[in-house]
Amino acid sequence: MDSPHFGVGSGAKGSAADHLAYITRQGKHSARGDLGATGYGNMPGWAQADPSRLWQASDKYERKNGSRFRSFTIGLPNCLTTEQLEALAWEQARRLAGNKPFQFALHLSRSTLSGEFNPHVHIMICDRVPDEFDRSPEQMFRRYDRAHPERGGCKKDSGGMSHERLKEKLIEQRARAIATSNEALAQHGHDLRFDHRSLRERGLTREPERHLGPKRVNALSEDERKAFVRRRQDKD
């Protein structure tokens, strides 16, 4: 079966707190009513009780052109129970983050296009890799000092990577996320499996489906929505 949606992004200055509010359905987003679960891990000591402090510090202290966070959106199997989806969301977040600070939110929503159950997890990851040194919020986001690491900030995981290596890493992350979902499907007795390979790698000639997003879907007419759903069903 085709792989689920796997979206990746990064946060510009001032966007971390807003993105956190969106995925955890706080403030103006609270009325959506689709929040299934949230969680976090690997936080520095000063953010253990309140993980939002990490993202606030990233907004404030990260270097001017540095990304404040990495964001991942991963579609999850809609045949799993709520409890199974929550466990899978935790596993997706832990595997993608490794030892880096992360926070996630599980959304149990319905597709804007077809009304189909559309569970997915949003994951925020800080690229600053923890080490043995205790740092204040401000120092954590300073430039890394290779000669004297205790004087600088935490090393950035993506620092110095070439464009080619970043692309390779993205492919690896996508394959890992799909493998994690397939493991959950097998664990809970489902025959369904996702395929991480591209259409070309599987010998298929059809065009990949675009991820429209709610804004584009809302702009479609009723006839356009029905035609889009029919094309999707034909592919399946």
Side-chain angles (χ1 to χ4, degrees), residues 25-195:
R25 300 312 199 212
Q26 298 175 28
K28 65 182 181 181
H29 309 289
S30 59
R32 290 176 177 259
D34 60 352
L35 182 63
T38 61
Y40 61 90
N42 302 333
M43 291 288 166
W46 45 266
Q48 285 286 350
D50 182 5
S52 67
R53 292 190 64 198
L54 174 73
W55 312 114
Q56 292 166 1
S58 178
D59 270 341
K60 185 174 182 179
Y61 298 121
E62 183 59 81
R63 287 185 295 158
K64 181 178 180 181
N65 295 322
S67 64
R68 271 52 187 173
F69 61 92
R70 302 287 172 186
S71 69
F72 296 85
T73 306
I74 305 171
L76 303 178
N78 62 9
C79 55
L80 299 181
T81 67
T82 300
E83 293 75 15
Q84 292 165 355
L85 287 167
E86 182 175 351
L88 177 54
W90 269 108
E91 193 64 21
Q92 292 283 14
R94 289 188 179 113
R95 290 192 182 185
L96 278 175
N99 65 338
K100 294 179 292 186
F102 69 87
Q103 189 163 2
F104 78 86
L106 170 65
H107 291 178
L108 303 175
S109 57
R110 296 263 168 195
S111 166
T112 309
L113 186 64
S114 63
E116 184 180 21
F117 185 40
N118 180 35
H120 55 278
V121 60
H122 292 272
I123 305 170
M124 293 177 69
I125 298 176
C126 177
D127 258 354
R128 298 284 181 165
V129 182
D131 54 27
E132 69 269 30
F133 303 107
D134 290 327
R135 296 178 175 85
S136 67
E138 181 177 4
Q139 185 185 0
M140 178 176 175
F141 293 97
R142 289 177 185 166
R143 187 183 296 274
Y144 177 68
D145 187 330
R146 187 180 299 276
H148 301 283
E150 73 282 2
R151 299 179 187 175
C154 291
K155 187 175 182 181
K156 240 186 170 179
D157 185 44
S158 57
M161 282 192 188
S162 66
H163 176 74
E164 289 74 17
R165 177 54 193 143
L166 287 171
K167 184 176 180 180
E168 289 174 359
K169 186 174 181 181
L170 176 60
I171 294 172
E172 292 166 2
Q173 290 170 327
R174 181 173 175 272
R176 187 183 311 139
I178 291 171
T180 301
S181 286
N182 282 340
E183 288 171 16
L185 286 165
Q187 177 186 350
H188 298 297
H190 295 280
D191 293 330
L192 170 70
R193 296 293 183 273
F194 295 126
D195 196 327

Side-chain angles (χ1 to χ4, degrees), residues 195-213:
D195 196 327
H196 74 276
R197 295 174 300 167
S198 68
L199 296 176
R200 180 179 296 178
E201 288 172 331
R202 282 181 278 160
L204 301 176
T205 56
R206 63 178 169 85
E207 290 294 319
E209 182 180 302
R210 289 185 305 156
H211 179 68
L212 296 178

